Amino acid sequence: MAFKKIEQYDEKIMPGLINHYRESLKLLGEDPEREGLVKTPERVAKAMQYMMQGYDQDARAILNSAKFKESVSEMILVKDIELYSMCEHHMLPFFGKAHIAYIPNGYITGLSKLARVVDVYARRLQVQERLTTQILDVIKETLNPLGVAVVIEAKHLCMMMRGVQKQNSVTTTSAFWGEFEKNETRSEFTKLITSRLH
Ligand SMILES: Nc1nc2c(ncn2[C@@H]2O[C@H](COP(=O)(O)OP(=O)(O)OP(=O)(O)O)[C@@H](O)[C@H]2O)c(=O)[nH]1
Ligand SMILES: [Zn+2]
């Protein structure tokens, strides 16, 4: 089963996580017994498992589950796929949009599967650069296309709420392979992702 339901939490690790978050609350000067916090360690334990569920999911299987033989040779682009991930340095969220394009070579995949693949890799501890290349690599390996392009634009809370405290900076990462290494194809892709035509 590729997707863990939100209600399914690993009961084996729940007690350890709950205890850990209760202790953290105490160390941070809070009272874990006060009314508003009694259930907080359990809620955080569930939220963290939810945000880490990508480790148990198989992006290759997701793409293969809707892989269709089709002789399309034009670029297929899904843009503005919203994403939420967690930076591995501070365990704080980073969030934004992914744009994914590929040029098929005999096979296409279901459009929603591209968005699902983003979630599989985003729901882990990540750096934006690795998230970008992991998405590219799995599309390349599973669909054997003529080219793949992935661009991610994101804001990092670790740069906004703390640290350098820059509220408006946006980080863009990109990965290009195959046909997209050619200037012409890459600029067509760039034009399409920056166009406001929907
Ligand atoms: N390359 C990359 N860096 C990231 C990402 N998310 C967070 N970072 C950075 O990871 C770095 C960790 O640097 P450190 O100096 O070890 O941590 P720090 O003392 O908390 O750094 P400051 O955030 O500058 O206060 C910071 O510069 C973050 O901005 C990411 O997705 N990619
Ligand atoms: Zn960070």
Side-chain angles (χ1 to χ4, degrees):
M1 161 108 180
F3 301 101
K4 194 189 216 177
K5 289 210 193 88
I6 306 172
E7 303 79 37
Q8 290 176 346
Y9 299 101
D10 186 343
E11 292 305 328
K12 288 193 299 297
I13 65 170
M14 280 302 276
L17 279 175
I18 291 170
N19 191 46
H20 166 80
Y21 289 118
R22 191 177 290 127
E23 288 305 310
S24 297
L25 283 171
K26 278 194 222 160
L27 287 169
L28 292 168
E30 263 293 356
D31 171 12
E33 306 307 325
R34 77 174 169 83
E35 198 186 345
L37 292 183
V38 170
K39 283 189 71 185
T40 295
E42 184 185 337
R43 292 188 196 99
V44 180
K46 287 180 175 174
M48 290 305 287
Q49 281 200 57
Y50 186 88
M51 292 182 289
M52 299 297 134
Q53 68 183 287
Y55 291 116
D56 297 332
Q57 297 171 349
D58 182 350
R60 207 174 298 249
I62 289 169
L63 290 176
N64 275 326
S65 72
K67 183 173 165 182
F68 312 111
K69 221 172 165 64
E70 199 65 57
S71 59
V72 188
S73 55
E74 294 302 317
M75 180 189 310
I76 295 166
L77 164 69
V78 182
K79 70 175 187 177
D80 295 337
I81 303 168
E82 66 263 38
L83 73 89
Y84 293 88
S85 189
M86 300 277 278
C87 98
E88 68 184 19
H89 304 122
H90 302 93
M91 293 178 74
L92 285 172
F94 65 93
F95 57 95
K97 290 173 185 171
H99 314 291
I100 302 176
Y102 70 101
I103 300 172
N105 181 23
Y107 290 94
I108 57 169
T109 189
L111 295 174
S112 69
K113 306 306 178 193
L114 296 173
R116 287 187 187 280
V117 163
V118 171
D119 287 342
V120 167
Y121 292 114
R123 288 176 177 154
R124 301 173 184 201
L125 293 180
Q126 275 291 10
V127 294
Q128 190 177 323
E129 294 90 333
R130 189 167 70 235
L131 175 59
T132 310
T133 56
Q134 284 177 328
I135 296 168
L136 181 135
D137 286 346
V138 76
I139 295 170
K140 178 176 135 188
E141 285 160 23
T142 311
L143 298 181
N144 188 33
L146 298 176
V148 190
V150 180
V151 167
I152 294 178
E153 303 167 79
K155 285 174 155 266
H156 292 243
L157 283 187
C158 65
M159 287 180 67
M160 297 167 74
M161 291 178 72
R162 57 159 297 288
V164 74
Q165 303 199 37
K166 296 297 175 205
Q167 307 309 317
N168 298 310
S169 73
V170 176
T171 303
T172 302
T173 46
S174 57
F176 298 103
W177 174 80
E179 287 290 313
F180 289 93
E181 288 170 84
K182 296 182 186 157
N183 277 339
E184 201 184 297
T185 320
R186 191 187 292 209
S187 53
E188 186 190 341
F189 167 77
T190 313
K191 214 161 66 196
L192 287 170
I193 64 172
T194 49
S195 113
R196 286 296 116 206
L197 258 187
H198 286 291

